[in-house]
Amino acid sequence: HMKCKNKNEVLASTNYGKKIVLAVIKDNLLGVQFHPEKSQEKGKKFLEEFLDWKPEWLKLKKLKILKKESLKN
């Protein structure tokens, strides 16, 4: 399993006899440590929702890019 040096980058964890990191986030990257495709319908639903997910930081980043573009014109 993954060990994360910076605890602020841990997005999700679980206790499976000991704490195990499931997801990390840094800047615009997100990494997960599990296999939702092996979870049948629940895993499929998770993947569908993940693909539709629009995190707040991404919205803010796009907004900043749009503002920069509008200032150029």
Side-chain angles (χ1 to χ4, degrees):
H1 66 89
M2 188 184 118
K3 294 182 180 177
C4 191
K5 291 179 183 177
N6 185 343
K7 298 197 186 294
N8 292 329
E9 295 170 353
V10 175
L11 184 62
S13 63
T14 190
N15 189 334
Y16 195 70
K18 62 180 178 178
K19 185 176 179 180
I20 297 175
V21 175
L22 297 177
V24 293
I25 190 165
K26 182 174 182 178
D27 300 325
N28 63 339
L29 300 174
L30 174 69
V32 295
Q33 180 67 25
F34 57 95
H35 298 278
E37 74 278 6
K38 294 183 179 182
S39 301
Q40 301 173 352
E41 286 302 314
K42 289 182 180 181
K44 181 181 174 190
K45 181 168 176 48
F46 171 83
L47 289 173
E48 289 170 352
E49 290 178 4
F50 180 80
L51 292 173
D52 288 336
W53 180 48
K54 294 175 182 56
E56 192 61 31
W57 59 263
L58 184 58
K59 291 177 193 174
L60 294 173
K61 188 173 184 178
K62 287 181 180 179
L63 184 60
K64 287 179 186 177
I65 291 169
L66 290 173
K67 284 182 179 179
K68 284 182 185 177
E69 290 299 316
S70 67
L71 291 175
K72 288 180 184 178
N73 297 329

